[in-house]
Amino acid sequence: MSTMGNPANIFWHENPVGKAEREKMLNQQGCVVWITGLSGSGKSTLACSLGRELQSRGKLSYVLDGDNLRHGLNKNLGFSPESRTENIRRTGEVANLFADAGLICIASLISPYRKDRDACRALLPDKKFIEVFMNMPLQLCEDRDPKGLYKLAREGKIKGFTGIDDPYEPPLNCEIELQLKDGIVPTPHEMAGQVVSYMENGGFLEA
Ligand SMILES: Nc1ncnc2c1ncn2[C@@H]1O[C@H](COP(=O)(O)OS(=O)(=O)O)[C@@H](OP(=O)(O)O)[C@H]1O
Ligand SMILES: Nc1ncnc2c1ncn2[C@@H]1O[C@H](COP(=O)(O)OP(=O)(O)O)[C@@H](O)[C@H]1O
């Protein structure tokens, strides 16, 4: 017998307390800040810095970090294209729930495939998905190599490593692109500031 529910027998249950009420209580707009980029590009660092900055402004955020999710929710997934797609799909669904709860959900995953990121975007109402592209050169990420994974990938000891022998598809229309300025990496504080400015201007930090 199939363990899948028959969609014909599944019904949506409305909750009397709505998103707008939660947002009013929190004085912010529920949304998803989706940080994408190569391994070592600084996604987690930006996520932490942004979370701290929002906290200091009294805004409630929560970070969904790819590495961390792979310890629990996504622990049964590897790095094949199908697994990555499922990884992003699940994370997008969870991020959508957090946004519906009124939180600023910061998701930081490589999320290398454009169609998977676009599918996450499509879950949210217009403008509530803020895609942030960490556009850092592969060489910089590889020089950093904090976990030694690029070295292993170059030696052929890890197969299908993003940027080496698995593709990274850059966004075509992201809301924010972070890159080197005059060849220098902006500080995490500067990058977080850029995202916060975008959110302030877009009215995300008030109900
Ligand atoms: N084959 C391969 N390719 C890319 N990355 C790999 C791989 N194997 C392990 N790792 C480590 O897993 C982290 C990426 O997890 P994600 O969930 O963000 O990846 S993905 O979005 O599903 O592509 C990634 O973490 P970050 O360096 O923080 O990006 C790596 O440390
Ligand atoms: N803006 C930055 N300036 C200098 N070093 C950074 C910056 N962002 C990240 N790093 C460093 O680069 C390495 C990779 O950053 P990390 O946030 O773990 O990347 P990712 O999550 O994309 O794999 C870490 O050693 C981190 O300290």
Side-chain angles (χ1 to χ4, degrees):
M1 196 176 80
S2 167
T3 53
M4 296 269 283
N6 179 347
N9 298 332
I10 310 247
F11 300 87
W12 186 264
H13 198 283
E14 278 306 328
N15 189 311
V17 182
K19 183 182 184 195
E21 284 180 80
R22 293 186 284 273
E23 290 181 330
K24 199 167 171 206
M25 194 166 84
L26 295 166
N27 192 29
Q28 63 185 43
Q29 303 281 324
C31 62
V32 174
V33 178
W34 189 281
I35 307 172
T36 174
L38 293 170
S39 174
S41 59
K43 302 181 298 297
S44 304
T45 304
L46 172 61
C48 291
S49 185
L50 178 59
R52 175 53 62 198
E53 187 61 34
L54 290 169
Q55 179 83 12
S56 74
R57 289 163 184 251
K59 303 299 161 191
L60 188 58
S61 71
Y62 191 81
V63 174
L64 297 176
D65 190 90
D67 265 330
N68 294 354
L69 294 176
R70 282 175 176 278
H71 282 85
L73 177 69
N74 295 331
K75 72 197 298 187
N76 62 330
L77 299 176
F79 290 89
S80 68
E82 297 74 24
S83 285
R84 290 187 202 249
T85 293
E86 176 61 8
N87 185 34
I88 301 313
R89 187 194 71 78
R90 285 184 202 171
T91 307
E93 291 286 352
V94 173
N96 185 29
L97 292 175
F98 274 112
D100 188 56
L103 273 70
I104 298 164
C105 181
I106 306 167
S108 56
L109 300 92
I110 296 178
S111 41
Y113 309 143
R114 202 175 288 134
K115 68 170 173 39
D116 297 341
R117 297 191 302 268
D118 288 348
C120 295
R121 176 187 289 274
L123 294 174
L124 279 118
D126 200 24
K127 309 238 185 274
K128 299 289 182 173
F129 186 88
I130 305 166
E131 191 171 359
V132 180
F133 176 29
M134 298 298 291
N135 189 5
M136 297 296 147
L138 173 64
Q139 192 60 57
L140 172 77
C141 303
E142 205 167 342
D143 289 345
R144 284 175 171 170
D145 204 9
K147 302 168 192 161
L149 297 178
Y150 280 102
K151 184 169 182 293
L152 292 176
R154 288 289 185 197
E155 292 167 355
K157 292 178 181 158
I158 300 180
K159 300 283 183 211
F161 197 80
T162 306
I164 306 298
D165 56 352
D166 209 65
Y168 178 81
E169 301 169 357
L172 299 176
N173 283 307
C174 59
E175 280 68 19
I176 302 171
E177 181 171 347
L178 297 170
Q179 45 193 334
L180 303 184
K181 284 196 182 118
D182 301 322
I184 295 169
V185 191
T187 65
H189 184 70
E190 284 167 342
M191 291 190 186
Q194 209 172 315
V195 180
V196 168
S197 295
Y198 177 93
M199 299 186 82
E200 264 180 340
N201 294 336
F204 289 92
L205 303 186
E206 59 198 7

